């Protein structure tokens, strides 16, 4: 279910009341009438389904839900604030940005910004948001006017998002992710945890710790949704850094792929040369690199750790690379090609454990213990997981111990 993102102005009202512990003082600070502040708080509480404040003799204090919301809203506003400072620092006095600019930006404008950046087209963004194209154009132009910078430029393929647009869109997606996590945490406080954990998964993790972790996790958290996204590592990393994905699970990259992410190794399995059980090389012990070079292979794309390990086998032996290659990362296609031919592949035995157990595939006797690849987690450096997400991370670590 789509989580409704609250009005940005209402969030600023909430923060003012939480920090000043008074609607009256908040009214004087943000220049909004007391009835308008009261109404904004009521709308937020209605949206969240929880009381955010308790009245005491010394003022208004956040409830437990209010404390959770204050933490998440502060982090969300900071994402947007820092991005606007970065965008207009050369065009606008810093004081104006800090005090007034963020207060003038609406959630609708930010949603339009994201939609146009992702679609690279105003009409597609219009359809995706189910609003008129004129409304999309108006929101985008209003936002450009507020920031004093160009956000979108037309080109032969459609609409190009400028660097400023990309910067603010990324910050906005991270801010919206914080707000969604805040909503999840408030729901959990009321014993109705129906949150979602989004995982970007690479092939080895999909066949090993991930299914076991999901099954055990859902026994303890039956109402929590798990979304698993597959794709090339570069795409998963992009979505992680944008806040679309919470965790990437798979082969780690060294050096770290970006300054704003952190990696954690869970275990490091070796690679194996795998073929069908009655492959001609199964009877040879051990097999040489020269013998491996005589057969066709199924390999992953260039630039991946496994492809590098494949090439190193033959470079280290001083012989040419095999030439009859099929490039694919599809586990199903790889399995079928191996079963129906004499092709070989380089893969972790854990990934084809089921096929080995039912004697469809087997490991060829070629030593590759030196190819151990670190498998683990990659998350945003600034990510603050919810309690539920932390439980899932703990379960991943616990289950990975069995593979060490």
């Amino acid at each position: 279910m789509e989580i409704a993102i609250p009005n940005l102005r209402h969030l600023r009202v909430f923060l003012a009341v939480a920090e000043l512990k008074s609607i009256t003082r908040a009214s004087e600070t943000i220049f909004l009438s007391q009835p308008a502040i009261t109404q904004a708080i009521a709308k937020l509480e209605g949206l969240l389904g929880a009381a955010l404040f308790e009245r005491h003799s010394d003022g208004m204090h956040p409830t437990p839900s209010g404390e959770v919301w204050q933490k998440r809203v502060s982090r969300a506003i900071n994402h947007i604030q820092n991005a606007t400072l970065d965008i207009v620092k050369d065009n606008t006095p810093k004081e104006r940005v800090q005090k007034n600019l963020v207060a003038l930006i609406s959630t609708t404008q930010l949603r339009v910004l994201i939609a146009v950046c992702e679609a690279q087209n105003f009409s597609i963004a219009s359809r995706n948001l189910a609003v008129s194209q004129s409304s999309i154009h108006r929101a985008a132009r209003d936002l450009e006017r507020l920031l004093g910078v160009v956000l979108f430029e037309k080109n032969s393929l459609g609409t190009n998002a400028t660097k400023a647009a990309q910067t603010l869109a990324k910050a906005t997606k991270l801010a919206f992710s914080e707000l969604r996590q805040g909503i999840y945490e408030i729901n959990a406080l009321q014993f109705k945890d129906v949150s979602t954990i989004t995982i970007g998964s690479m092939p080895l993790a999909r066949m090993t710790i991930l299914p076991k972790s999901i099954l055990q996790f859902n026994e303890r958290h039956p109402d929590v949704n798990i979304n698993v996204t597959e794709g090339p590592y570069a795409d998963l990393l992009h979505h992680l850094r944008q806040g679309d994905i919470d965790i990437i699970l798979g082969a780690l990259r060294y050096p770290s792929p970006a300054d704003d992410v952190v990696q954690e190794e869970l275990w490091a399995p070796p690679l194996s040369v795998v073929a069908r059980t009655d492959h001609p090389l199964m009877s040879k012990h051990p097999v040489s690199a020269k013998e491996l070079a005589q057969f066709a292979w199924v390999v992953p794309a260039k630039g991946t750790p496994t492809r590098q390990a494949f090439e190193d086998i033959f470079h280290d032996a001083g012989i040419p690379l095999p030439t009859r290659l099929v490039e694919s990362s599809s586990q199903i296609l790889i399995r079928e090609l191996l079963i129906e031919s004499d092709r070989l592949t380089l893969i972790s035995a854990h990934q084809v454990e089921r096929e080995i157990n039912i004697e469809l595939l087997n490991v060829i006797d070629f030593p590759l213990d030196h190819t151990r690849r670190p498998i683990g987690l990659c998350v945003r450096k600034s990510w603050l997981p919810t309690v539920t997400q932390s439980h899932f991370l703990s379960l991943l670590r616990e289950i990975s111990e069995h593979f060490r």
Side-chain angles (χ1 to χ4, degrees), residues 2-3 25 53 62 87 97 119 132 143 152 155 203 211 239 287 294 303 308 317 319 329 364 404:
E2 182 68 22
I3 298 291
R25 288 195 290 272
F53 292 102
I87 289 169
V97 176
S132 69
L143 186 56
F152 302 108
N155 59 30
H239 287 297
V287 172
Q294 296 171 6
Q308 185 61 53
I319 58 178
S329 60
I364 286 174
R404 288 185 180 274

Side-chain angles (χ1 to χ4, degrees), residues 237 241 255-262 381:
L237 180 64
R241 298 177 67 205
S256 181
D259 292 338
D260 55 353
V261 301
V262 290
K381 188 175 291 185

Side-chain angles (χ1 to χ4, degrees), residues 12-222:
R12 291 186 62 256
V13 167
F14 164 78
L15 284 182
V17 175
E19 291 166 4
L20 299 171
K21 297 182 173 56
S22 166
I23 290 178
T24 302
R25 288 195 290 272
S27 174
E28 296 168 351
T29 301
I30 60 177
F31 307 107
L32 200 62
S33 70
Q34 293 185 38
I37 290 178
T38 301
Q39 186 180 39
I41 297 297
K43 285 185 177 180
L44 273 179
E45 291 180 329
L47 177 66
L48 299 172
L52 297 175
F53 292 102
E54 295 175 339
R55 290 185 178 274
H56 294 273
S57 58
D58 60 341
M60 297 181 67
H61 293 261
T63 62
S65 293
E67 291 176 351
V68 165
W69 193 235
Q70 184 179 7
K71 174 185 65 179
R72 291 296 181 180
V73 171
S74 295
R75 288 169 61 88
I77 295 294
N78 282 340
H79 279 299
I80 298 171
Q81 181 93 340
N82 291 337
T84 56
L85 279 169
D86 186 48
I87 289 169
V88 303
K89 61 186 177 183
D90 296 328
N91 304 307
T92 308
K94 186 176 181 181
E95 294 77 13
R96 177 178 172 243
V97 176
Q98 287 180 322
K99 294 181 179 179
N100 299 320
L101 190 54
V102 174
L104 300 174
I105 297 174
S106 71
T107 300
T108 297
Q109 291 167 344
L110 294 177
R111 289 180 68 243
V112 166
L113 172 74
I114 292 171
V116 178
C117 282
E118 291 183 341
Q120 298 289 291
N121 183 284
F122 277 90
S123 61
I124 295 174
S126 170
R127 288 195 293 272
N128 290 343
L129 291 179
V131 297
S132 69
Q133 193 167 334
S134 61
S135 297
I136 295 287
H137 277 284
R138 184 167 54 253
R141 299 312 171 210
D142 286 347
L143 186 56
E144 285 184 326
R145 192 160 46 251
L146 283 172
L147 294 170
V149 297
V150 175
L151 296 175
F152 302 108
E153 297 172 331
K154 288 186 177 180
N155 59 30
S156 59
L157 300 177
T159 301
N160 179 57
T162 64
K163 181 181 178 182
Q166 294 170 17
T167 297
L168 185 55
K170 177 183 177 181
T172 299
K173 293 179 78 171
L174 292 173
F176 286 1
S177 177
E178 289 288 350
L179 297 175
R180 281 191 291 270
Q181 287 188 281
I183 292 170
Y184 294 154
E185 288 175 311
I186 290 173
N187 287 338
L189 287 176
Q190 301 174 38
F191 304 102
K192 52 179 184 180
D193 189 355
V194 289
S195 59
T196 298
I197 301 174
T198 305
I199 302 162
S201 179
M202 304 300 287
L204 178 54
R206 286 200 296 270
M207 304 302 295
T208 51
I209 65 172
L210 186 56
K212 292 179 174 61
S213 297
I214 289 174
L215 291 173
Q216 288 193 29
F217 179 79
N218 279 150
E219 289 179 3
R220 308 176 195 177
H221 304 272

Side-chain angles (χ1 to χ4, degrees), residues 203-205 207-208 271 306 331 346-355 373:
L204 178 54
M207 304 302 295
T208 51
L271 293 169
T306 301
Q331 187 102 7
L346 192 63
I347 198 171
S348 168
H350 288 295
Q351 285 178 257
V352 289
E353 183 178 6
R354 190 176 299 275
E355 287 84 354
R373 297 181 303 161

Side-chain angles (χ1 to χ4, degrees), residues 219-252:
E219 289 179 3
R220 308 176 195 177
H221 304 272
D223 297 321
V224 174
N225 299 307
I226 305 287
N227 287 351
V228 179
T229 299
E230 302 174 6
Y233 180 81
D235 290 351
L236 296 180
L237 180 64
H238 170 77
H239 287 297
L240 176 78
R241 298 177 67 205
Q242 297 270 331
D244 302 317
I245 290 175
D246 299 315
I247 306 161
I248 294 178
L249 189 60
L252 303 182

